[in-house]
Amino acid sequence: MPYRVSHGKPIPVGYSPDEVFSKIRHEEVRFIDLQFTSLPGRFHHTTISADTFTPEQMRDGLPKLDGSSIVGFTEIEDSDLLLKPDPNTYAHIPWMTENRTARMLCDVYWGMGRGRLSRDPRGIAQKAQDHLASQGYESMWGPEVEFFVFDKVTWDVLTPYKGQSYSIESVEAPWSSNGAGYPMGLQEGYYPSTPSDTLTPFRNECVNMLNQEFGILCDNHHHEVATAGQCEIDIRYDSLTNAADSTQTYKFVVRNVAKKYGKVATMMPKPVSMDAGSGMHTNVSLWKDKKNAFFDKDDPDELSQLGRYFCGGIISHARALSAITNPTTNSYHRLVPGYEAPVYMAWSGSNRSAIVRIPKHFRGRGYSALKRLEFRAPDPSANPYLVFAAVLAAGLDGIKKKVDPGDAVHEDIFKMTKSERVKRGIGVLPSSLGEALDELESDRKFLGPIFTADVIDMIVEIEKRDQREVLIRPHPYEFDLYFDV
């Protein structure tokens, strides 16, 4: 795939519709996978024969979607939707070799010329990008997606009167019993060498596929802090919608390569108790006239006033943002002190106990392209289209209202007492999904320029349903705590 350079970063040029049809013919593609994302962030697809795919379908869309069967989309009485392929996202699916298959990401539209589906996450991301452009800016986003790769996972929730349980198997874990590896202790998994790190070949293959087949540049990969196969592969920063597309494709590739290796990958934030969870640290910068608007060479942190206001917006809306950036009940098992997850509403430089960090690896105008905010609260269970759009809305609200984020906190917030945090004005993120949803319902106006009311209402409805399903079931550990009361 050809590349061009934007803000110092090579990114794919993409293809025109005519180029896509030419590639389909010359590369003997047999099937086209039409991929899209539901409101909660699940990846979906339908597959069509390349022999029947026409330029008119590329232009007008394909009537292939019952919106009432996709969580968060439509009701059953009004459910005819169209999938419009984006030719810029055309790529081969490398593990489908017997019948050569390509994919395109799709935008979701109502039928009968009624316009874009407001609950299409990709449409929300594009709306956010357009809203920012109307103010004279563009944005760059770099998600750091962490995930676990296990040898085997089983669970039993379908026989509630028998009990509920889960089991995780990993040759890297301290509870491994097969004696074939060099197990890592809890929170001792950061950057181990091989053979303790058993997943280097797996990550190499993921990076090769993302780089070579999907045009998604990944420049680094490593084992993360947790035991039992926690990984991170870094995606180079890109524009908002492209970065969200890349994140969804990243998850798609990781899961399928794991299957090839006889393993299973999960984006669940906290699958292993008493160990670090998986985050999706979200790096963002605003640009104007080809220059990074967050960079100021005269500031001690080299962060501009615009960047400070953007930071203030994130911090002021962080509790409401949690319902979007941390949308599962499991998310809040990660957001506890002591396991590297940020829970305190403050900003800093290299201090990883704050929810917003200003990375301080380099100084000077030569590195101005790298000046950014790193929002550390999001996790990989979140829908990246919604996360980036919501974080942008919060930051822009901070700029509009000139929200001061306060002084940077250089001390380890985890070691502060509650009274010290209160004195410094350091708030805390919600401790449960229910609390986060309450915050979103009371603080939702800042999302208004980008999110329609029905989208926010549906997010709340879906997540409240999940919360209730967990609340009505006893937790296995409660038997240990309370059986003899």
Side-chain angles (χ1 to χ4, degrees):
M1 181 176 291
Y3 292 90
R4 62 181 171 83
V5 175
S6 176
H7 308 315
K9 173 190 178 296
I11 61 174
V13 172
Y15 300 109
S16 69
D18 288 344
E19 288 171 328
V20 167
F21 282 102
S22 176
K23 291 181 74 65
I24 290 172
R25 288 192 303 271
H26 290 120
E27 296 171 0
E28 298 183 345
V29 171
R30 305 306 308 151
F31 293 96
I32 307 293
D33 221 35
L34 305 177
Q35 301 177 339
F36 63 97
T37 300
S38 69
L39 194 62
R42 299 304 202 279
F43 216 31
H44 296 270
H45 80 128
T46 185
T47 307
I48 61 172
S49 169
D51 294 335
T52 64
F53 186 41
T54 67
E56 291 75 22
Q57 290 174 327
M58 177 79 86
R59 183 192 65 213
D60 300 331
L62 295 95
K64 299 295 183 182
L65 183 57
D66 169 12
S68 67
S69 296
I70 302 297
V71 175
F73 271 13
T74 69
E75 302 299 330
I76 195 169
E77 68 273 12
D78 190 10
S79 56
D80 287 339
L81 300 177
L82 302 174
L83 294 175
K84 288 192 178 183
D86 182 346
N88 291 303
T89 64
Y90 177 90
H92 295 128
I93 301 177
W95 53 87
M96 293 185 176
T97 55
E98 185 174 350
N99 287 290
R100 193 163 176 80
T101 302
R103 77 86 189 257
M104 281 183 281
L105 300 180
C106 296
D107 297 327
V108 183
Y109 283 77
W110 288 103
M112 299 296 290
R114 293 162 59 193
R116 192 67 173 270
L117 179 71
S118 65
R119 298 175 187 175
D120 174 16
R122 195 166 191 259
I124 293 169
Q126 291 164 344
K127 184 178 179 182
Q129 202 163 307
D130 291 343
H131 176 67
L132 181 63
S134 71
Q135 301 184 39
Y137 293 97
E138 56 182 320
S139 58
M140 289 289 137
W141 300 79
E144 301 173 24
V145 186
E146 298 168 349
F147 57 94
F148 281 88
V149 179
F150 299 130
D151 296 333
K152 184 179 180 181
V153 179
T154 58
W155 62 89
D156 181 8
V157 297
L158 299 179
T159 53
Y161 303 111
K162 175 184 174 184
Q164 300 176 66
S165 64
Y166 66 90
S167 174
I168 296 172
E169 297 178 19
S170 168
V171 69
E172 294 184 356
W175 61 84
S176 175
S177 60
N178 68 12
Y182 294 81
M184 305 172 195
L186 300 176
Q187 301 189 74
E188 295 179 359
Y190 191 64
Y191 278 32
S193 65
T194 57
S196 293
D197 177 5
T198 66
L199 295 167
T200 301
F202 160 81
R203 296 194 303 271
N204 283 340
E205 185 157 349
C206 289
V207 169
N208 281 338
M209 283 190 182
L210 289 165
N211 285 352
Q212 297 173 15
E213 299 292 344
F214 293 93
I216 297 169
L217 296 184
C218 304
D219 56 4
N220 179 58
H221 70 73
H222 57 86
H223 203 288
E224 258 298 344
V225 170
T227 185
Q230 191 183 36
C231 299
E232 179 180 319
I233 300 172
D234 292 336
I235 304 172
R236 293 288 297 273
Y237 59 90
D238 207 334
S239 60
L240 191 152
T241 303
N242 284 351
D245 287 344
S246 295
T247 304
Q248 287 296 82
T249 301
Y250 171 110
K251 295 180 182 182
F252 174 62
V253 169
V254 161
R255 291 189 179 106
N256 280 279
V257 175
K259 182 180 179 182
K260 175 183 174 181
Y261 278 73
K263 299 180 184 293
V264 60
T266 180
M267 306 295 158
M268 189 174 176
K270 186 80 168 190
V272 180
S273 63
M274 312 304 292
D275 208 346
S278 292
M280 186 177 74
H281 302 164
T282 298
N283 296 274
V284 55
S285 58
L286 297 190
W287 292 69
K288 190 168 189 176
D289 300 326
K290 307 299 182 183
K291 294 180 180 179
N292 188 343
F294 282 3
F295 176 77
D296 180 354
K297 66 179 179 60
D298 298 321
D299 181 79
D301 292 305
E302 296 189 326
L303 180 67
S304 68
Q305 186 62 62
L306 185 89
R308 289 176 186 272
Y309 289 150
F310 196 98
C311 178
I314 292 175
I315 292 174
S316 67
H317 295 297
R319 288 177 61 82
L321 281 172
S322 295
I324 295 172
T325 61
N326 308 90
T328 68
T329 58
N330 186 255
S331 298
Y332 297 87
H333 295 311
R334 167 182 170 257
L335 293 177
V336 294
Y339 295 94
E340 295 210 353
V343 295
Y344 297 118
M345 295 158 56
W347 73 281
S348 187
S350 296
N351 185 353
R352 285 172 165 81
S353 64
I355 62 168
V356 178
R357 191 173 76 91
I358 315 298
K360 300 178 73 172
H361 297 104
F362 300 104
R363 290 190 64 85
R365 189 175 296 279
Y367 292 100
S368 64
L370 300 181
K371 183 55 58 179
R372 63 196 187 275
L373 303 181
E374 180 191 349
F375 184 32
R376 296 173 57 79
D379 69 56
S381 70
N383 185 331
Y385 297 105
L386 304 186
V387 170
F388 302 161
V391 171
L392 179 65
L396 291 180
D397 192 61
I399 292 172
K400 178 182 178 181
K401 297 177 180 176
K402 295 182 168 54
V403 178
D404 187 344
D407 295 332
V409 178
H410 302 294
E411 300 86 358
D412 185 348
I413 307 174
F414 294 146
K415 295 180 180 178
M416 291 183 183
T417 64
K418 182 177 180 180
S419 61
E420 287 174 326
R421 295 196 302 272
V422 170
K423 186 176 180 180
R424 298 284 295 270
I426 300 172
V428 63
L429 293 178
S431 60
S432 69
L433 180 59
E435 189 179 343
L437 290 169
D438 289 342
E439 292 289 340
L440 178 60
E441 289 190 283
S442 63
D443 179 21
R444 56 190 287 174
K445 283 187 178 180
F446 74 96
L447 296 169
I450 296 170
F451 289 73
T452 57
D454 70 295
V455 169
I456 301 172
D457 291 342
M458 182 56 66
I459 290 170
V460 172
E461 179 181 325
I462 291 169
E463 294 181 12
K464 279 188 173 180
R465 180 197 63 196
D466 289 355
Q467 180 198 20
R468 181 178 181 276
E469 291 298 319
V470 172
L471 286 177
I472 63 175
R473 290 168 171 82
H475 189 285
Y477 195 63
E478 289 178 308
F479 284 83
D480 185 72
L481 290 174
Y482 307 125
F483 191 74
D484 62 345
V485 294

